[in-house]
Amino acid sequence: MTAHTPAADGVPVEDDDAHTWTGKARRWMLGKLPPDKLLPEDQPSYVMSWAYVFGMGAVASLLWIIISGVVLGLNGPQWYHVSSLGSFVNSTHLWSVELFFMFMVVHLWLKFWMAAWRGGRVLTWITGMVSFVVSIVAAFTGYLLQTNFDSQWIAFEAKDALNAVGVGAWFNVTNVGQIFVWHITLLPMAVGAVVVLHVLLVRVHGVVPPLEAAEGDAQLRDSAWAPSHPPEPVSPRDSAKPGDPA
Amino acid sequence: MAGWLVAGVATTGAGTFLGWDGFTIQLGNLIVILVMIVLFVLALILPFPGGKRRK
């Protein structure tokens, strides 16, 4: 049995002798993401910028996509295609997707020009890109579920490409029942899982600082991007020190 | 059932397309791209409310 030592606030803290997989997993998770990093009360001053808003805007849009999608799925197509309220909820589902992609793309642009993969944040960057790609597939299946001539056109334009890469049997865009399952179960779970992982990685590594504030980030100080490695000089003349021979 | 079909058909529009020489784009797509560019620029230049109060 593992020993417990009371912390200052009285909460028992597990010692280092965890020997079960649950104990080891808990120790690993608490080491990677202690509660004060998971739910921080403060952020660096550079986070007070519109450049740090769009990721959460995308998450807020995704939440409404899921909520409205649940309402649409439970009431069915004959509700959301015919009734006024159904059409309205259907429209909010579409427009929250539009906002989700706009916020996600602006977030992507801002983080690209911020080189957000710096300081050991490569996996955060990769999960962001994966969530973007999976979201495109999820949105594509949504367009297929409009059950109008647009969706029929899109399906028949897409089927040849999907058959050519050998996925047509399991991702048959002309089979609206199969695409409905992809759209309301598998792809939302995939998008949700990748987005949750992305947000957790942001909490583990912290938000990336602007390029000019790199010295304020502990992860960058410990990496090759540390301020001890100044930016590459623009030209040899810029790197010359006073007194150096020209 | 008929109402469902009519509702489905009614949502289908030809759309407005803009073209310059060999380049063609649907108006809605162009608007979305322009809005994203405007948001990107505004995010860089607009001050954040309450930002000066922070340390």
Side-chain angles (χ1 to χ4, degrees), chain A residues 12-28:
Chain A
V13 176
E14 195 70 25
D15 283 334
D16 290 338
D17 60 346
H19 59 281
T20 60
W21 73 267
T22 49
K24 289 173 182 170
R26 183 183 65 247
R27 192 177 60 186
W28 181 80

Side-chain angles (χ1 to χ4, degrees), chain A residues 42-43 45 48-51 53-54 77-78 81-82 102 105-106 109-110 113 148-150, chain B residues 4 7-9 11-12 32 35-37 39-40 43-44 46-51 54-55:
Chain A
D42 211 355
Q43 289 287 326
S45 58
M48 297 291 280
S49 158
W50 288 108
V53 167
F54 290 92
Q78 285 177 312
H81 275 320
V82 175
M102 282 195 277
V105 168
V106 176
W109 289 346
L110 288 162
W113 292 108
N148 58 15
F149 289 137
D150 268 352
Chain B
W4 182 13
V9 171
T11 58
T12 307
V32 167
V35 167
M36 290 191 299
I37 292 171
L39 285 175
F40 176 80
L44 295 179
L46 280 185
F48 195 79
R54 292 289 295 264
K55 59 185 175 182

Side-chain angles (χ1 to χ4, degrees), chain A residues 215-227:
Chain A
E215 70 278 1
D217 185 67
Q219 291 205 173
L220 282 167
R221 280 197 300 271
D222 298 338
S223 73
W225 289 78

